[in-house]
Amino acid sequence: MDAVERGSRAKNARDGGEIVLAAEPKRSGTSTGRGKASCRAQAGRGDLPPATWNKVKTHPCYSVEAHHHYARMHVAVAPACNMQCNYCNRKYDCANESRPGVTSEKLTPEQATKKVLAVASRIPQMSVLGIAGPGDPLANPDKTFRTFELVAKAAPDIKLCLSTNGLALPDHVDTIARLNIEHVTITINMIDPEIGARIYPWIFYNHNRYSGIEAAKILTTRQLQGLEMLSARGILCKVNSVMIPGINGRHLIEVNKAVKSRGAFLHNIMPLIAAPEHGTVFGLKGQRTPTARELKALQDACEGEMNMMRHCRQCRADAVGLLGEDRSAEFTKEKIVTMTVNYDPEARKAYQAGIEEERRARIVARRENSGEHAGGTSDIKVLIAVATKGAGLINEHFGHAKEFQVYEVSRSGAKFVDHRRVGHYCQGGHGAQDDLAAIVRSINDCHAVFVARIGGRPTSELNKAGIEPVDQYAHEFIENSAIAWFSSYFEKVKSGKIQHVDRGDGAIRQDPMISVA
Amino acid sequence: MPFKIISSQCTGCSACETECPNVAIFEKGGTFVINPKKCTECIGHFEEPQCVAVCPVDKTCVVDTSLPRAQPPA
């Protein structure tokens, strides 16, 4: 890749941004506790203490607003694990698969450091280095902390981030604090050991293997203790939970309360991924995965309690780049060896200052554009799917969309609630019937799909499925268009022209994302 | 009888390598193997063999019945 192309890629990545309003004054029309919290979850600095905002504003996983602007990378230096989860299989390796635990190669701390510098010099908006497995980083403390030490020395401007199952966490909190690791994610799927026994076959603790309820008791105690210790030291803590219907679905509401009360800053409830071909225990047992509606209902139920993360892409253990746009294939061990590293902190700083300026300008533009929807309340809420390349605009062709952003629209505004990964309809220039049907299944809970352009056949298929294809707002701001569309929808419902009916459910795709050529 | 690792099942996670009290486990071609001469089945160290206990894939660290016990129990 030459410098020009690199520059243009970086710019595209930067332009792929979207700003969520820092303050959404119109939301006050529905100022229930829940509505307010949801507003806070999407908003930025206005709701956060300055110290916290400074820590999250450039972190793509912690800030919904940052994830279109800043990139992160994971280095796979931590293969070993100290427990077994029924939803995990680290043996699986597929270049097209985007799933935690999956990696194509394992690195030594030295190789990882070179990779970080190579990526940081080519992707100047890369702001965060995370270590997230494929095993547990704290079951590999030497490799994990050695990597952080080397990177901190070579590239002090990169934020360090760690993801753990929490079993060994209390033993390492001091080291985490000493190495200035600002963000920690703990995966907590239960606080009730009986439920835990159905998720974790065993743990390895104090040189012994424990199983069943005994194992789950130790695990939950250690996780919550670790969380408390991190909070006490002012280290920002996000909690990940995997929603497993029939096992911990409703229980995660309790988990949410427990982690909130111990200082967790953000809760990310993710859908279980369990296709038989993944070879996980749940996959082989045919454990059901949640539907989009179930997942959203659970996230909504927790939202009154704390900030919910809804833009998680459940990335690979060696992911590189913006969320949802994996570039790990460009930075394999083989390619890294031949790369010349020109790490220039000043150039990175200047580039990121540019991003911040653009973010500020866009906030102003969006504020000016957002005054259109009048107040007034109604219970009607609909979901819409949006094909977007970023920048907060409806600017993607239906057939080119790799994923759709889902917004919940009501009289009080439009709010980002989800994203739906879909296969490429236009793979190789010809649309496959199955792919189109799969897209319809993925967004079947949406009333409309907003696109920049759409072809004849998808239009008729979508209409047949009762999803309105909307292309009249091509290249306009998502929120404003959604509100304008909803106003006319609402008027038609009010005048009796159409009847509002709830839509069906959306299927969460389990198959690998098809890589883009 | 020493333990052995069934390489077709080994995920190469390296969890066993650091837990082995005898430093009998090492990497070979992406998976791990046990040096039978060094393996003591953890007798005298732990209640159960550490490679078995820490291996994320069940029935991957197993007794090698083809070999005699390398070192009698303490």
Side-chain angles (χ1 to χ4, degrees), chain A residues 286-303:
Chain A
Q287 164 65 45
R288 188 171 79 75
T289 55
T291 65
R293 180 178 286 242
E294 285 173 322
L295 180 69
K296 182 174 178 299
L298 178 60
Q299 289 171 337
D300 289 349
C302 293
E303 200 165 55

Side-chain angles (χ1 to χ4, degrees), chain A residues 211-290:
Chain A
S211 60
I213 290 176
E214 194 186 12
K217 257 186 203 163
I218 296 169
L219 178 63
T220 182
T221 308
R222 300 277 293 171
Q223 287 174 329
L224 296 179
Q225 185 193 350
L227 172 57
E228 282 174 3
M229 290 168 76
L230 289 171
S231 304
R233 283 164 177 77
I235 296 165
L236 273 194
C237 208
K238 161 167 138 280
V239 168
N240 279 355
S241 300
V242 180
M243 179 185 187
I244 312 160
I247 295 184
N248 72 351
R250 293 205 58 75
H251 178 61
L252 286 178
I253 296 175
E254 301 305 311
V255 171
N256 179 268
K257 286 179 186 153
V259 299
K260 161 81 179 169
S261 70
R262 286 169 179 81
F265 154 81
L266 188 65
H267 195 186
N268 172 25
I269 299 180
M270 302 171 287
L272 170 70
I273 301 174
E277 61 268 29
H278 298 159
T280 62
V281 173
F282 281 149
L284 297 172
K285 259 178 43 185
Q287 164 65 45
R288 188 171 79 75
T289 55

Side-chain angles (χ1 to χ4, degrees), chain A residues 78-84 89-91 106 139-140 143 201-204 206-210, chain B residues 7-15 17 19 46-48 50-58:
Chain A
C81 203
N82 49 13
M83 58 193 271
Q84 181 62 24
N89 174 15
R90 295 187 305 281
K91 189 161 182 145
K106 294 158 195 163
N140 301 261
K143 286 179 180 165
W202 56 263
I203 65 166
F204 184 74
N206 272 351
H207 303 291
N208 276 308
R209 195 191 265 222
Y210 297 86
Chain B
S7 63
S8 63
Q9 291 176 204
C10 175
T11 66
C13 87
S14 78
E17 187 187 20
E19 294 302 329
F46 298 102
E47 278 175 20
E48 59 178 323
Q50 295 300 284
C51 55
V52 179
V54 81
C55 179
V57 187
D58 281 332

Side-chain angles (χ1 to χ4, degrees), chain A residues 43 179 192 280:
Chain A
L179 293 180
D192 176 349
T280 62

